[in-house]
Amino acid sequence: MCSDLSLYRARYWYSSYREWPVYPFCWEEAIRRNKICFSGMNSPYMLINLILDGNIIYEISDGRCFQLSQGDLLVIPEHSNYQFSTTSVPYYHKIVLELKGTILQNISEELCLMQPVCIKRENAETLHDNIMELGRRFFDGEESDVPDLLGMTWKILTQISAQAGEESEEQKLMALARSHLEHNVSGKFTVALLAKKLGISHSTLTSRFRAHYGVSPQQYRINYRKQQATYLLANTSMVIKEIACRLGYANQLYFSNDFKKYSGMSPKKFREIHFH
């Protein structure tokens, strides 16, 4: 148990259970009575946060902020940058369900879960019961329970999708555009190609995207690539040439010059200061 937690317990997916298209990698319960501010970068999981008691604030890197209280649920998509903190009364009791899977991204797109989804208490009761039941089966179950755990996970995702489905078609379209921009930082991917893929004109995509996110699709992709560059330099041992290639730069020199323009230092210097 962590020293500043009143309660903490977690169960992780056993390697003997194998990886599946979508599966519950971890079920976690925590009670905290101290102030905290935690940041997650490029999360490798989809996070389903259920607040059982107290209050907590989540901020997503695109500027959205969610203040959650008892009974509220927040879904944070895979590969998101986020931060959570306690309020002026530092107390919360929450469940976190971490999902992984070989096709989690594709399923998230199909279920319109590529952007954060907040479900308020009055609409989350059934989800609450199913998440708690999954936790009970996770802690008490055996390998023979894997089919049931996978089925319960899918049930929870489809329930959340049904709630998210109340969003307008426009919101879904822009969320899909944002997802494509984030997952195509490398390669020859243009806004014109994205507009064609979505079945709308280049100008329509640009104006609608700017109305939703405050920047053009091209600028959003540039900003996201910057975030990925700083994350990879600070948190991985990838060589700089490999990072440049992964982010779609023609060569390491071009990447280094571009990085220095917006960070004020070379990738090498940034890594020396910030590498964990």
Side-chain angles (χ1 to χ4, degrees), residues 249-260:
Y249 286 91
N251 55 61
Q252 182 177 331
L253 180 60
Y254 181 29
F255 168 64
S256 297
N257 290 338
D258 197 33
F259 187 86
K260 190 171 184 178

Side-chain angles (χ1 to χ4, degrees), residues 8 188 258:
Y8 180 81
K188 296 179 180 179
D258 197 33

